């Protein structure tokens, strides 16, 4: 049951954006239309070169706080700047290409109010395409892949397993976090595009629990310009950047004694990231540097077909290696 708006705690909606005005318009509209009305909408514009500011101003909503970076700060710095602007008791990240259902906040805030020891609440999500059409097969696959189909509604305390191993918590897209439980300055820039999983890590080691609401209350847009797509086989530099972020994060998780139960899992992910980084470096003709990461991975795991194949390719003539690497992930 919703409280009167004057009694509702303030929620800060965080929307970082850069050169996606049409998607941004849909994202902001979905925030404004929330049935839970006591919100501030923080839009941090990473120095867009289009009509982003005009789009924001067209809403004429006093709850919007717009900030334009004087220069492009990079995705991570822009995201963190927005979090640090938040004045709400709770914060929720909404990427400029995603959307929320109208009852997203209405359904996730009450469990946090009822359980003041919980650090976050999260839900399931739809997957939509570039045009906003729901991909039902992709949605089902996403739910199963992140094991949200195995989670019961309610309070959960085993955050490390849920958040860092199963990755059930969509921190960047379908999650509400208690603001004063997080030190935003403790998230180092080395995490880059992995800021969401590192934020999950901070929540895990806090000792607080979470609440899961199994309904799909948000819409995650899968399209050509997402970080996930760019860091696949399409963009070598994006692949290199993501792999470096993963190496930093998984090394930190692996070395944290509070997470020793999952050390072997984190080590495996760290090794995979080393190989991924090497493949990206080989695509950009940085073969000698790539080999150092491959030797590191081989020394730690002895036998891994993907790593050995990549190392073998590093000694293959460049033209042939490039052709073979075109299909490597």
């Amino acid at each position: 049951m919703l409280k009167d708006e004057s009694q509702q705690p303030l929620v800060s909606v965080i929307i970082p954006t850069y050169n996606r005005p049409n998607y941004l318009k849909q994202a902001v509209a979905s925030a404004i239309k929330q049935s839970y009305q006591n919100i501030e909408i923080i839009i941090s514009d990473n120095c867009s070169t289009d009509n982003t500011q005009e789009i924001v101003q067209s809403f004429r909503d006093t709850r919007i706080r717009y900030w334009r970076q004087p220069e492009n700060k990079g995705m991570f710095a822009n995201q963190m700047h927005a979090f640090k602007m938040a004045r709400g008791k709770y914060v929720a990240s909404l990427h400029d290409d995603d959307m929320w259902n109208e009852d997203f906040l209405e359904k996730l805030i009450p469990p946090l109010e009822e359980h003041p020891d919980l650090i976050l609440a999260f839900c399931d999500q739809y997957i939509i395409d570039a045009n906003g059409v729901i991909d039902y097969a992709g949605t089902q696959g996403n739910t199963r892949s992140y094991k949200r189909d195995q989670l019961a509604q309610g309070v959960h305390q085993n955050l490390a397993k849920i958040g860092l191993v199963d990755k059930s918590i969509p921190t960047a897209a379908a999650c509400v976090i208690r603001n004063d439980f997080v030190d935003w300055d403790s998230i180092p820039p080395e995490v880059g595009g992995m800021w969401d999983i590192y934020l999950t890590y901070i929540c895990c080691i806090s000792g607080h629990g979470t609440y899961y609401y199994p309904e799909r209350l948000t819409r995650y847009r899968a399209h050509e310009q997402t970080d996930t797509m760019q860091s696949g086989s399409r963009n070598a530099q994006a692949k290199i950047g993501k792999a470096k972020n993963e190496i930093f994060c998984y090394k930190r998780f692996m070395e944290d004694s509070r997470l020793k139960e999952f050390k072997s899992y984190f080590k495996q992910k760290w090794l995979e990231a080393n190989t991924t980084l090497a493949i990206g470096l080989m695509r950009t003709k940085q073969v000698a540097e790539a080999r150092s990461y491959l030797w590191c991975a081989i020394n730690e795991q002895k036998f891994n077909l993907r790593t050995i194949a990549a190392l073998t390719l590093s000694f293959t003539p460049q033209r042939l290696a490039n052709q073979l690497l075109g299909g490597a992930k």
Side-chain angles (χ1 to χ4, degrees):
M1 189 76 177
L2 278 175
K3 299 178 182 178
D4 178 81
E5 185 179 336
S6 63
Q7 297 179 307
Q8 294 175 351
L10 179 66
V11 178
S12 298
V13 180
I14 307 301
I15 308 180
T17 190
Y18 177 68
N19 280 359
R20 289 201 282 223
N22 293 331
Y23 286 159
L24 174 65
K25 190 172 185 177
Q26 297 173 50
V28 174
S30 77
I32 287 174
K33 292 176 183 177
Q34 288 297 296
S35 52
Y36 186 102
Q37 287 285 294
N38 190 23
I39 63 175
E40 62 172 3
I41 302 170
I42 299 171
I43 301 172
S44 189
D45 180 1
N46 202 11
C47 198
S48 294
T49 57
D50 53 24
N51 62 332
T52 290
Q53 188 166 355
E54 294 174 17
I55 292 290
V56 173
Q57 291 172 341
S58 70
F59 283 100
R60 301 184 183 280
D61 193 306
T62 58
R63 296 172 300 173
I64 293 176
R65 299 171 60 199
Y66 174 76
W67 172 271
R68 176 180 166 81
Q69 301 286 5
E71 60 184 10
N72 191 300
K73 301 288 188 180
M75 181 274 294
F76 171 80
N78 190 49
Q79 178 84 44
M80 290 302 112
H81 179 269
F83 274 126
K84 292 173 187 179
M85 286 179 65
R87 300 178 299 202
K89 180 177 181 179
Y90 301 106
V91 294
S93 170
L94 173 59
H95 281 177
D96 63 353
D97 53 348
D98 297 336
M99 292 182 285
W100 289 345
N101 292 3
E102 291 184 11
D103 55 352
F104 169 66
L105 293 176
E106 176 187 342
K107 289 182 174 174
L108 290 192
I109 297 300
L112 292 170
E113 286 289 278
E114 183 180 349
H115 303 279
D117 58 323
L118 299 183
I119 193 168
L120 63 87
F122 69 102
C123 63
D124 202 359
Q125 57 188 350
Y126 287 107
I127 304 299
I128 59 175
D129 66 14
N131 297 314
V133 178
I134 295 175
D135 176 355
Y136 286 100
T139 295
Q140 293 285 1
N142 182 271
T143 298
R144 288 193 300 269
S145 177
Y146 295 108
K147 300 186 179 179
R148 289 192 284 271
D149 59 327
Q150 300 176 29
L151 279 178
Q153 179 174 343
V155 174
H156 296 268
Q157 297 296 340
N158 53 336
L159 234 65
K161 173 70 161 59
I162 294 172
L164 297 178
V165 178
D166 296 337
K167 298 183 175 65
S168 304
I169 304 172
T171 318
C175 174
V176 179
I177 298 174
R178 198 178 299 273
N179 194 8
D180 64 357
F181 279 16
V182 177
D183 175 6
W184 298 102
D185 288 319
S186 70
I187 303 178
E190 290 86 352
V191 307
M194 294 283 286
W195 69 264
D196 53 342
I197 195 169
Y198 198 90
L199 177 54
T200 302
Y201 162 68
I202 290 174
C203 293
C204 288
I205 62 176
S206 72
H208 298 284
T210 183
Y211 188 96
Y212 175 57
Y213 195 95
E215 192 174 339
R216 293 177 178 128
L217 301 176
T218 70
R219 302 183 181 216
Y220 174 84
R221 195 185 303 266
H223 60 99
E224 294 293 320
Q225 297 303 314
T226 61
D227 290 338
T228 302
M229 291 289 192
Q230 289 296 309
S231 59
S233 59
R234 304 168 191 267
N235 185 317
Q237 290 300 331
K239 189 183 196 76
I240 289 169
K242 185 180 180 185
K244 287 181 176 179
N245 301 154
E246 289 178 334
I247 288 171
F248 178 88
C249 288
Y250 286 119
K251 187 172 188 292
R252 177 68 60 89
F253 304 164
M254 187 171 61
E255 293 174 347
D256 193 323
S257 61
R258 291 165 292 190
L259 301 174
K260 60 184 178 181
E261 177 184 355
F262 306 108
K263 181 176 180 178
S264 61
Y265 168 80
F266 296 138
K267 183 174 182 180
Q268 185 58 42
K269 299 298 289 184
W270 176 73
L271 290 166
E272 289 173 8
N274 273 272
T275 300
T276 299
L277 174 56
I279 291 171
L281 290 168
M282 288 165 63
R283 285 183 180 166
T284 56
K285 301 180 181 180
Q286 300 175 73
V287 177
E289 186 178 355
R291 284 186 194 135
S292 67
Y293 287 99
L294 292 169
W295 283 121
C296 173
I298 286 174
N299 287 337
E300 291 287 343
Q301 61 186 342
K302 304 306 178 188
F303 181 83
N304 179 278
L305 187 58
R306 178 172 175 256
T307 306
I308 291 173
L311 183 61
T312 302
L313 279 175
S314 76
F315 293 97
T316 303
Q318 189 70 49
R319 182 176 296 179
L320 177 60
N322 287 343
Q323 292 176 353
L324 295 171
L325 283 168
K329 301 295 183 185

